Amino acid sequence: MTTTRLLTVAPSVTRRRRLGTTDRPRRSVTLTVLTAIVLVYSLIPLIWLFINASKTQSDLFSTFGLWFGDEFALFDNIARALTYDDGIFLRWFGNTLLYVVVGAGGATLLAVLGGYALAKYEFAGKRAVFAVVIGAVAVPGTALAVPTFLMFSSMGLTNTPWSVIIPSLISPFGLYLMWTFASEAVPTELMEAARIDGAGEFRIFWQVALRLLAPGMVTVLLFTMVATWNNYFLPLIMLRDPDWYPLIIGLNQWNAQAATAGGTAIFDLVLTGSLLTIVPLIIAFLFLQRYWQSGLAAGSVKE
């Protein structure tokens, strides 16, 4: 009997050792090497940016790109970037925050409301809405930029913050993500129990569903925030007044300044401004990464 039990247990133990367990995952040299290559590939641009943002204009072209110059001028460059041209960098930073808070925040709110409604309520035309959302996800935003410009131009909204904020409120991918997340994260039985206890639909959403939707909501917020922060083409064609530029357009203007007649080359300030531009995104990802990871993994395991 003991022999039979050993023969029965041995294959499962061998298979478990081959596949690894969640407590002791299997180690792979190939995956480790590939991960290290991807890590180096991802970090080199950031390291290059930090090193060159610490150089003076003369050291920028006379020293090796992946090593520091003769003088560490990072803090001096930061001070010059913040005060150059009457502090226009801070103006661009405030504009970017405005577009992100109102545009990305509004897109997240609409995606949560729409995704929850589509996932938990039945109504006529639901399949048509699904087809429209899927089709909108496949259309790149750049393809809609020119029609959007013509429409906003006819309404007199170009060269205003609304020409950037209003298109940013629409996020078909965020809506689809919240639709999928709400289907799995909010049990219908829990909503029925709340209705039996006398709760209305708004109270169910606010006090029950919203807490369960938090990981997906943060994931959508990060997606829309990064998309709005890095949005280049739409503000480029919508805005003419530099006072309404976001950071990415303003830095491009600084970079192109050297090619204009009588313009001064300020590549050191361009690099320093680029470094300052990515700091808020890095901080946001570090603070919200646990919600981001749980939101991405939602629905991946069937019970």
Side-chain angles (χ1 to χ4, degrees):
M1 182 175 180
T2 304
T3 305
T4 305
R5 184 177 179 183
L6 287 175
L7 291 174
T8 305
V9 171
S12 61
V13 173
T14 304
R15 184 168 57 253
R16 191 180 308 156
R17 287 176 179 173
R18 188 184 305 128
L19 296 176
T21 63
T22 55
D23 296 333
R24 299 184 60 185
R26 188 177 59 147
R27 295 182 178 178
S28 169
V29 177
T30 305
L31 289 178
T32 303
V33 172
L34 289 176
T35 304
I37 293 174
V38 173
L39 179 64
V40 172
Y41 180 78
S42 302
L43 289 181
I44 280 182
L46 295 177
I47 296 173
W48 184 91
L49 179 61
F50 176 77
I51 291 175
N52 287 276
S54 68
K55 296 180 180 179
T56 61
Q57 181 79 8
S58 58
D59 286 344
L60 196 59
F61 298 100
S62 60
T63 57
F64 180 56
L66 288 176
W67 194 245
F68 295 95
D70 299 332
E71 180 183 356
F72 188 80
L74 176 62
F75 300 108
D76 182 59
N77 287 343
I78 292 175
R80 290 176 55 223
L82 296 180
T83 56
Y84 184 79
D85 196 12
D86 296 329
I88 191 66
F89 183 87
L90 294 176
R91 171 82 183 189
W92 294 337
F93 188 81
N95 293 339
T96 306
L97 286 181
L98 172 67
Y99 301 147
V100 168
V101 171
V102 181
T108 305
L109 177 63
L110 292 176
V112 171
L113 295 174
Y116 174 75
L118 289 168
K120 293 301 172 184
Y121 296 98
E122 295 294 334
F123 55 89
K126 188 174 179 178
R127 288 182 176 273
V129 174
F130 178 79
V132 171
V133 172
I134 293 297
V137 171
V139 178
T142 307
L144 300 176
V146 174
T148 305
F149 170 78
L150 296 176
M151 184 173 63
F152 276 72
S153 178
S154 64
M155 293 187 294
L157 291 178
T158 53
N159 201 31
T160 66
W162 296 112
S163 61
V164 179
I165 292 175
I166 293 176
S168 301
L169 294 175
I170 309 301
S171 175
F173 179 72
L175 176 60
Y176 176 74
L177 191 62
M178 285 308 305
W179 184 350
T180 307
F181 188 85
S183 302
E184 300 292 334
V186 183
T188 305
E189 296 80 6
L190 189 61
M191 298 174 62
E192 293 294 338
R195 292 189 183 105
I196 293 174
D197 290 340
E201 298 303 322
F202 178 77
R203 187 177 177 185
I204 293 174
F205 171 76
W206 183 253
Q207 294 187 347
V208 179
L210 199 57
R211 298 181 181 180
L212 300 174
L213 294 174
M217 191 165 54
V218 173
T219 304
V220 173
L221 177 63
L222 285 172
F223 271 122
T224 54
M225 184 178 68
V226 173
T228 307
W229 194 278
N230 295 328
N231 194 358
Y232 177 79
F233 192 57
L234 182 66
L236 179 67
I237 65 173
M238 288 290 187
L239 302 175
R240 296 190 310 274
D241 187 356
D243 286 341
W244 289 117
Y245 281 175
L247 280 171
I248 191 168
I249 302 296
L251 291 176
N252 183 62
Q253 187 187 49
W254 276 5
N255 186 52
Q257 180 175 304
T260 59
T264 304
I266 50 172
F267 296 118
D268 53 341
L269 299 189
V270 174
L271 293 175
T272 305
S274 301
L275 180 65
L276 295 176
T277 300
I278 65 174
V279 169
L281 289 179
I282 294 176
I283 294 175
F285 269 85
L286 291 178
F287 274 100
L288 301 175
Q289 62 174 337
R290 62 192 182 100
Y291 297 103
W292 160 270
Q293 292 170 356
S294 60
L296 287 179
S300 59
V301 179
K302 289 188 176 297
E303 299 179 354

